């Protein structure tokens, strides 16, 4: 049984983790990435920021999973695993699908795109790549960051739908 104190603590931690994770994603997409894309030589700066934010984002994600599980099982609308018989359960499912999309996008950006950007920046400095190649990667990074912002808003919309039930 989940006590009211545990549930309140989970709500608090969940909200703080949401603000930090989604706020960081929005800040990166709308402020940092466009500046880094428009300023030559900022790829090292962007890499440093991402290196700093990634562990924080991962910690928030872990907190969201743990606190979300407690909240899920304590909710009176929860009818059981894979039971989508009510609007709350459907909203939670769609929310989690959007979160999965955010995680997949972030993984691709961290594990595939960022190494490409770093390699191209080094090749550009050595005269073995063109500025167009760097710009194309920066555009792709910006587009993926914007997709993550849209997915974050979808998460918040379905959270609001679920909370209204």
């Amino acid at each position: 049984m989940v006590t009211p104190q545990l549930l309140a603590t989970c709500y608090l931690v969940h909200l703080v983790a949401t603000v930090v994770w989604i706020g960081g994603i929005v800040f990166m997409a709308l402020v940092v990435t466009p500046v880094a894309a428009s300023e030559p030589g900022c790829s090292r700066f962007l890499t440093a920021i991402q290196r700093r934010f990634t562990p924080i984002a991962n910690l928030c994600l872990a907190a969201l999973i743990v606190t979300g599980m407690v909240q899920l099982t304590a909710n009176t609308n929860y009818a059981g695993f894979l039971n989508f018989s009510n609007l709350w359960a459907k909203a939670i499912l769609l929310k989690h699908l959007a979160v999965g999309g955010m995680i997949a996008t972030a993984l691709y950006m961290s594990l595939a795109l960022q190494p490409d950007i770093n390699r191209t920046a080094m090749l550009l400095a050595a005269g073995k790549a063109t500025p167009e190649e760097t710009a194309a990667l920066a555009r792709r990074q910006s587009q993926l960051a914007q997709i993550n912002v849209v997915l974050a808003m979808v998460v918040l919309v379905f959270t609001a739908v679920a909370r209204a039930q």
Side-chain angles (χ1 to χ4, degrees):
M1 171 140 173
V2 177
T3 66
Q5 296 84 0
L6 175 61
L7 192 56
T9 301
C10 285
Y11 283 140
L12 174 64
V13 171
H14 202 83
L15 288 171
V16 170
T18 300
V19 167
V20 172
W21 187 43
I22 291 180
I25 288 169
V26 170
F27 181 74
M28 292 290 286
L30 301 181
V31 178
V32 176
T33 302
V35 169
S38 67
E39 295 292 326
C42 278
S43 67
R44 287 178 48 212
F45 175 69
L46 181 59
T47 300
I49 289 175
Q50 288 173 331
R51 199 174 304 133
R52 180 91 176 209
F53 178 65
T54 297
I56 295 168
N58 291 341
L59 178 64
C60 289
L61 190 55
L64 288 167
I65 291 168
V66 171
T67 59
M69 293 300 289
V70 173
Q71 292 176 58
L72 180 78
T73 58
N75 195 298
T76 57
N77 291 304
Y78 180 65
F81 185 67
L82 295 179
N83 184 337
F84 306 111
S85 59
N86 58 45
L87 182 59
W88 177 87
K90 292 172 187 165
I92 293 297
L93 171 65
L94 294 172
K95 169 188 172 177
H96 290 146
L97 290 174
V99 167
M102 291 175 69
I103 292 168
T105 303
L107 282 172
Y108 173 77
M109 289 172 66
S110 295
L111 301 177
L113 186 59
Q114 193 58 47
D116 285 348
I117 290 170
N118 294 342
R119 185 178 66 260
T120 304
M122 289 183 343
L123 291 172
L124 183 64
K128 296 181 179 181
T130 65
E132 291 80 21
E133 292 172 285
T134 305
L137 290 171
R139 278 192 305 276
R140 186 177 333 153
Q141 184 174 39
S142 180
Q143 290 166 344
L144 289 169
Q146 292 169 6
I147 287 169
N148 243 3
V149 168
V150 170
L151 288 170
M153 296 307 114
V154 169
V155 167
L156 295 178
V157 165
F158 284 119
T159 299
V161 170
R163 293 294 300 154
Q165 301 307 306

